[in-house]
Amino acid sequence: MEKPFYKGFKIGVLGGGQLGRMLLQKSYSYNLEMAFVDPDPKAPCREISNWFYKGDLNDFQMVYDFGKKCDVVSIEIENVNVDALTKLEKEGVKVFPQPAALKTIQDKGLQKLFYQKNNINTSEFFLIENKNEISLFADKFPVIQKLRKGGYDGKGVQILKNVNDLDKAFDAPSVLERLVNIKKEISVIAARAQDGSVTAYPPVEMEFNPEANLVEFLFSPADISKEVEKHAMQLAKDIIAKLDMVGILAVEMFVTPENEVVVNEVAPRPHNSGHQTIEGNETSQYDQLLRAISDGGFTQSERRQLALEGFRKTAEYDLAIATWLSQSESHELPDWFGHIWSRKSSLRYGENPHQSAAFYRDIEAPTGSLAHYKQLQGKELSFNNIADADAAWECVKSISDSEAACVIIKHANPCGVAIASTALESYLKALQTDPTSAFGGIIALNRECDEACAQAIAKQFVEVLIAPHFSESAKAIFASKQNVRLLEIPLGESVSSLAQYDLKRVGGGLLVQSSDSKNVLPSELKVVTKRQPTPTELTDLMFAWRVAKFVKSNAIVYCANGMTLGVGAGQMSRIDSARIASIKAEHAGLSLKGSAVASDAFFPFRDGLDVVVAAGAKSVIQPGGSMRDEEVIAAANEHGIAMVFTSTRHFRH
C-alpha cells in the first residue's frame, strides 16, 4: 500500500551528529517522523528526535533491523554497513543514497576509478596494496596518500614528500595522488530527486585549518570567474547523475592557477560546506535532501518498474545457468541458445519509415564495441547510422595498430580505407578512393580527431564521425555543424565470450555463428606462383586483405601504398565486382598499375583473374581452394604476377 510522506512516513538516518540535528530541525517544517541511530548515546540528535537508537553503524544486523522499521533510510555519515543497506533495498526499503553509489564513494580507489571511467577531471593517481609498493612511484613524489577506506575528516590522509617519508606511510590499501597546484578549494552541493531532476548550489570557497585539516572558513560567493562557477556546478550535477544517486552530494574541487577544475572527493550527505545554504539560499541543503528522499511511497508505475527489474534479474540469472548447462564438450556452440539485451535507445524508425526500431545493448558489451559510444553532438542516430557505424568502427580497429587509419563507409561497405602517419593524412588518402560515395557517409578514425583532421572532414557532408577522442578544437569546429553526429568510443582490447557470436534472424529461427575474428598473418600466406611478391607488394596485399574482410561479397579490393584504389562490393558475379572496382578507380583518377588486389573468396575461373590483371594488378591475394586452382595459378604465371593463398575466406552477406 502506498504511504504518502505526511501519513506516518518514517525516515531513518544512520548517524545522529551535528549534520543530522540540522536535518532533523528542518524536518519539522515537513511534519516528518525521523529516527536516528548513532554509536554515541549523547549524540546531538538524541534529545529532539522521535526515535533514537544507540548502535554500531557498521554492524550488519543493527543497520538492517533499524532499516526494517523505516520507509526510507538515509545517512548522515558515509561510514556505514553497505551490505545491510543493499539487502534492505532488495527487500523494498528505499535507501538514499543508493548502496551502489555509496559503495563507490566509501572506497577512495573505486571513487577515483569512477572519475577516470567517466572522463571526470581528477588528479593523477595510483592504487597500492601496501607501503612497500610506494617506492615504485618514487619519481612521482611528492604525493598524497589516502587510505582507500575508513578515512574521514582529515584522518587517513597524509603528504609523502620524498622516499624518506616511507616510514610514516600507511601500510594498507591506499590511493597515491599527485599534488595539484591549487589556487582555491571550492565545494558544490548538488541535489537529485527520484525523478532524475538535478540542481546545484553556487560554489563556496573553503579555507582549511592546516593542523586539523578541517574547514575553518567558508567564503560565499567563491572568488572565482563565472565560467569556473558554471563549470563547477555542471560538473557536480554530472557526477550525481552518473552515480545515479538520489539525495545530496557535496563535490570538493580544486581550482588551479590556470582555472582548471579538478575533482578531489565527494560526500553523499549533508556537508559542512553547505552550512551557508541555511540562510544564504532560498532552500537549504537539508530542504533538498528531505524533498528528494520523501516524495511518498511507491506509485503504481514504480511498483511495475520494480517488478520488471526483479523478474529481469531473475531471468538473467536463470538464462546464464541454462546457457552454461547447455554447452557440451563435443559442440562449439551450445545446444540451447539464449541471451538478454537491454534497450540503449529508441530510434525514430528502422531501415524504412514504416518500420519501428530500437538499439539494444549487450548486457556484457565488450570494451571498444559500438555499444559503448558516447555521442558528443548531433541529432539522434538512425537504424542505418548505427549499422554503418558498427561496420566502420570494426573495420578501422582491425586495419592497423601502429599507424593512423581511416575508414569511410557507405551502405555498410567501405568506399575508402587508408593508413598514414596522422589522422588527417589517412582521411585524405581514404577520401581519394571514392569521393562521390563518401558524400553523406560514415567516417571512423583509430586516432584522435585533432583540429587539422576536423577542418578537412568538415568540408564535406558526413552523417557520423567516430574516433577514440576529439580534441577541444575539433569539437569547436563541428559545433557549427550540429547535424554531424560525433561519437567517442574507446578502442578496447578484447572481446568477451558473450560477444563472440554473430546473430541473424530468419523466419521462425535464429542463425548463430562465432564472430569472424580471424586475421591472417604474413607467416600463414602461401605463395603459389613462380614470382614471389616483393616486400612492398606483400604489405599492400595484407592491407587489401584486411579491407576485403569488411566488404560485402562478392568483394574485390585494389590497394597500393596504404590506401584503397577501387572497391567492388556485393555483386552476384566476382567479375562484375572487379569491373566496378576498376571503373570507380578510373572515375577517381587513380591508376591501378602495379596494384595489389584482394578477393574475399577464391576465383572459380581464370576469367576473374584476367580482369584484375588487365586493370593493372601485379599481385593477388585470395583464399584458394577452388577445383580450378591450377588453372588460375597457371593464368597468374602466364601474366607474370605474384599470387598468394590465405586458406581463409571472408564471406560477408
Side-chain angles (χ1 to χ4, degrees):
M1 184 176 74
E2 296 173 6
K3 184 192 291 184
F5 73 87
Y6 53 85
K7 292 184 179 177
F9 191 82
K10 187 175 181 180
I11 297 177
V13 180
L14 300 176
Q18 176 201 39
L19 298 171
R21 186 179 177 104
M22 292 181 178
L23 179 66
L24 176 58
Q25 290 171 326
K26 179 55 64 175
S27 74
Y28 297 151
S29 302
Y30 296 92
N31 194 31
L32 291 169
E33 297 181 4
M34 305 285 290
F36 291 82
V37 60
D38 196 277
D40 184 0
K42 298 181 180 180
C45 289
R46 179 180 179 89
E47 298 301 327
I48 60 173
S49 61
N50 300 101
W51 293 274
F52 182 87
Y53 304 90
K54 179 181 178 302
D56 184 355
L57 302 182
N58 283 290
D59 182 81
F60 178 96
Q61 198 63 45
M62 172 69 207
V63 174
Y64 176 78
D65 291 343
F66 173 75
K68 292 297 287 185
K69 303 172 184 173
C70 306
D71 298 293
V72 172
V73 177
S74 190
I75 63 170
E76 185 242 15
I77 185 171
E78 54 264 55
N79 188 22
V80 299
N81 193 298
V82 175
D83 292 336
L85 295 178
T86 302
K87 185 177 181 181
L88 288 167
E89 185 180 61
K90 289 180 179 178
E91 293 178 0
V93 179
K94 287 192 172 185
V95 180
F96 303 123
Q98 295 90 324
L102 191 55
K103 185 176 182 179
T104 297
I105 295 170
Q106 281 185 340
D107 185 330
K108 288 184 172 61
L110 294 180
Q111 195 179 141
K112 282 287 188 179
L113 291 171
F114 167 82
Y115 301 146
Q116 187 181 70
K117 178 182 177 182
N118 289 280
N119 297 314
I120 295 166
N121 192 26
T122 191
S123 58
E124 185 181 8
F125 68 94
F126 316 91
L127 304 183
I128 62 169
E129 290 299 314
N130 51 63
K131 64 187 300 181
N132 295 329
E133 294 181 15
I134 299 177
S135 59
L136 300 174
F137 305 97
D139 61 328
K140 307 297 184 180
F141 282 89
V143 295
I144 303 281
Q145 184 187 17
K146 297 180 180 179
L147 292 176
R148 290 187 61 166
K149 293 187 176 181
Y152 184 72
D153 279 350
K155 300 179 179 66
V157 180
Q158 62 179 338
I159 297 178
L160 303 179
K161 297 180 180 179
N162 50 54
V163 293
N164 296 327
D165 287 342
L166 291 180
D167 288 340
K168 73 173 187 178
F170 303 128
D171 192 17
S174 306
V175 179
L176 299 181
E177 293 183 3
R178 295 290 299 273
L179 285 178
V180 176
N181 188 8
I182 302 172
K183 180 171 70 174
K184 295 183 182 295
E185 293 192 47
I186 61 174
S187 177
V188 176
I189 305 291
R192 185 169 181 266
Q194 296 178 50
D195 64 1
S197 57
V198 182
T199 191
Y201 292 94
V204 298
E205 187 176 335
M206 301 182 294
E207 187 171 299
F208 284 77
N209 182 299
E211 295 181 4
N213 198 24
L214 296 172
V215 176
E216 190 167 25
F217 298 103
L218 288 177
F219 299 93
S220 179
D223 184 18
I224 54 179
S225 69
K226 286 294 182 183
E227 290 76 16
V228 172
E229 176 183 298
K230 183 179 178 181
H231 179 55
M233 292 175 68
Q234 186 59 53
L235 194 57
K237 291 193 284 187
D238 289 344
I239 292 173
I240 196 171
K242 288 178 179 179
L243 283 168
D244 194 24
M245 189 191 121
V246 171
I248 57 173
L249 184 73
V251 184
E252 299 173 0
M253 311 172 193
F254 302 136
V255 181
T256 71
E258 297 77 26
N259 286 329
E260 180 187 9
V261 180
V262 182
V263 174
N264 179 26
E265 293 180 1
V266 298
R269 51 166 174 81
H271 196 258
N272 53 16
S273 71
H275 285 352
Q276 59 88 32
T277 67
I278 298 172
E279 302 294 340
N281 291 269
E282 185 175 347
T283 60
S284 75
Q285 62 173 329
Y286 307 99
D287 283 297
Q288 295 288 9
L289 177 58
L290 292 171
R291 293 180 182 187
I293 69 176
S294 63
D295 64 350
F298 297 122
T299 65
Q300 190 62 32
S301 176
E302 289 174 327
R303 290 176 181 273
R304 183 181 181 90
Q305 186 62 34
L306 288 169
L308 171 62
E309 290 294 316
F311 281 106
R312 183 180 64 80
K313 287 291 185 184
T314 302
E316 288 179 10
Y317 179 76
D318 292 343
L319 185 59
I321 294 175
T323 301
W324 184 83
L325 290 174
S326 69
Q327 295 174 343
S328 66
E329 296 180 358
S330 59
H331 296 90
E332 182 179 350
L333 296 175
D335 296 326
W336 184 91
F337 186 85
H339 198 55
I340 291 179
W341 293 263
S342 60
R343 186 164 64 183
K344 182 178 177 75
S345 62
S346 296
L347 305 176
R348 287 183 297 168
Y349 52 81
E351 285 185 285
N352 301 290
H354 61 272
Q355 296 173 269
S356 59
F359 178 39
Y360 289 82
R361 183 182 184 274
D362 196 308
I363 59 172
E364 292 190 18
T367 303
S369 63
L370 183 73
H372 286 280
Y373 76 80
K374 176 183 178 183
Q375 186 166 353
L376 304 183
Q377 72 162 53
K379 56 187 179 182
E380 63 185 9
L381 294 165
S382 71
F383 184 97
N384 295 324
N385 288 155
I386 292 174
D388 286 353
D390 183 60
W393 186 240
E394 292 302 318
C395 182
V396 82
K397 288 194 299 179
S398 73
I399 293 302
S400 178
D401 293 325
S402 58
E403 294 186 88
C406 176
V407 175
I408 306 175
I409 291 286
K410 193 68 172 290
H411 299 308
N413 280 299
C415 57
V417 182
I419 54 176
S421 58
T422 67
L424 172 61
E425 292 175 36
S426 68
Y427 164 69
L428 294 176
K429 290 173 69 175
L431 184 62
Q432 291 182 62
T433 305
D434 191 354
T436 301
S437 297
F439 182 83
I442 308 286
I443 301 175
L445 307 168
N446 71 344
R447 296 289 189 272
E448 177 187 72
C449 181
D450 56 18
E451 182 177 2
C453 189
Q455 286 177 337
I457 294 175
K459 295 177 181 178
Q460 75 167 84
F461 171 50
V462 57
E463 287 276 1
V464 182
L465 176 58
I466 312 169
H469 185 68
F470 291 84
S471 69
E472 291 302 317
S473 54
K475 294 177 188 176
I477 290 170
F478 286 109
S480 61
K481 296 178 175 290
Q482 281 298 309
N483 283 338
V484 179
R485 305 159 175 94
L486 300 184
L487 305 184
E488 272 191 354
I489 309 176
L491 285 170
E493 297 179 357
S494 60
V495 177
S496 71
S497 60
L498 287 176
Q500 290 177 354
Y501 299 123
D502 287 335
L503 312 178
K504 182 179 177 62
R505 190 77 165 89
V506 297
L510 186 71
L511 288 172
V512 181
Q513 65 176 353
S514 60
S515 62
D516 188 4
S517 58
K518 171 72 173 176
N519 278 327
V520 173
L521 302 174
S523 59
E524 299 176 275
L525 300 179
K526 179 183 179 183
V527 182
V528 295
T529 52
K530 295 176 181 178
R531 190 170 82 78
Q532 298 278 326
T534 66
T536 299
E537 287 175 336
L538 185 60
T539 300
D540 289 339
L541 287 169
M542 293 303 300
F543 178 77
W545 186 249
R546 291 288 179 92
V547 176
K549 177 180 174 180
F550 293 93
V551 180
K552 293 289 183 71
S553 301
N554 289 310
I556 294 292
V557 182
Y558 293 91
C559 297
N561 302 317
M563 64 175 285
T564 49
L565 302 174
V567 179
Q571 299 304 302
M572 290 70 78
S573 164
R574 196 164 298 278
I575 296 175
D576 288 341
S577 291
R579 290 169 175 161
I580 289 172
S582 62
I583 292 170
K584 283 186 171 290
E586 183 181 354
H587 287 173
L590 299 174
S591 173
L592 298 180
K593 185 177 181 181
S595 62
V597 66
S599 173
D600 67 325
F602 59 67
F603 288 101
F605 304 97
R606 68 167 290 165
D607 53 1
L609 183 72
D610 292 337
V611 170
V612 299
V613 173
K618 294 297 290 182
S619 58
V620 176
I621 186 169
Q622 61 137 318
S626 168
M627 293 176 59
R628 294 182 175 82
D629 273 350
E630 293 303 319
E631 174 188 326
V632 178
I633 293 171
N637 286 326
E638 179 185 320
H639 291 299
I641 67 168
M643 185 164 67
V644 299
F645 283 2
T646 64
S647 300
T648 300
R649 77 177 190 195
H650 291 297
F651 275 169
R652 189 175 179 88
H653 290 157

